[in-house]
């Protein structure tokens, strides 16, 4: 088995699936919604709740990393624009 085959079998790359709430090509709102849904979900159910991980995979796939770093800082500072209460 080559190194490429070993890496390919170790990792499964996938993007966020189709979401009927966001049918258009601009995925900015879809990105933001998945980010907020993830933190609402872990707040309500805990980080080990498997369905929450789907939101995280989706926002990691859709959102630019600069945005998530900024939003993480805003959450820590208490200045995030959206409510993350479940």
């Amino acid at each position: 088995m080559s190194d490429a085959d070993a890496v390919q079998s170790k990792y499964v790359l996938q993007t966020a699936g189709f979401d009927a709430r966001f049918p258009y090509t601009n995925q900015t709102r879809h990105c933001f919604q998945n980010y907020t849904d993830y933190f609402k979900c872990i707040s309500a159910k805990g980080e080990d709740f498997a369905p929450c991980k789907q939101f995280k995979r989706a926002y990691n796939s859709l959102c630019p990393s600069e945005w998530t770093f900024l939003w993480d800082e805003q959450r820590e500072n208490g200045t995030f624009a959206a409510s993350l209460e479940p």
Side-chain angles (χ1 to χ4, degrees):
M1 180 184 287
S2 71
D3 290 339
D5 292 336
V7 169
Q8 189 175 18
S9 66
K10 185 176 178 182
Y11 298 104
V12 177
L13 300 177
Q14 61 188 124
T15 60
F18 176 75
D19 189 336
R21 297 176 297 170
F22 309 101
Y24 304 107
T25 56
N26 185 344
Q27 295 296 302
T28 303
R29 176 117 172 99
H30 190 185
C31 154
F32 185 77
Q33 188 66 50
N34 277 288
Y35 183 86
T36 57
D37 285 347
Y38 172 71
F39 287 100
K40 287 179 182 182
C41 185
I42 63 170
S43 177
K45 301 290 185 176
E47 290 190 35
D48 295 332
F49 190 60
C52 294
K53 294 177 183 175
Q54 177 57 35
F55 294 125
K56 185 172 186 174
R57 282 192 296 272
Y59 87 73
N60 279 330
S61 173
L62 293 168
C63 300
S65 58
E66 294 85 13
W67 291 5
T68 57
F69 290 136
L70 177 65
W71 293 338
D72 289 342
E73 288 178 6
Q74 290 174 349
R75 277 188 314 102
E76 291 169 8
N77 296 332
T79 58
F80 189 65
S83 170
L84 297 177
E85 296 299 317

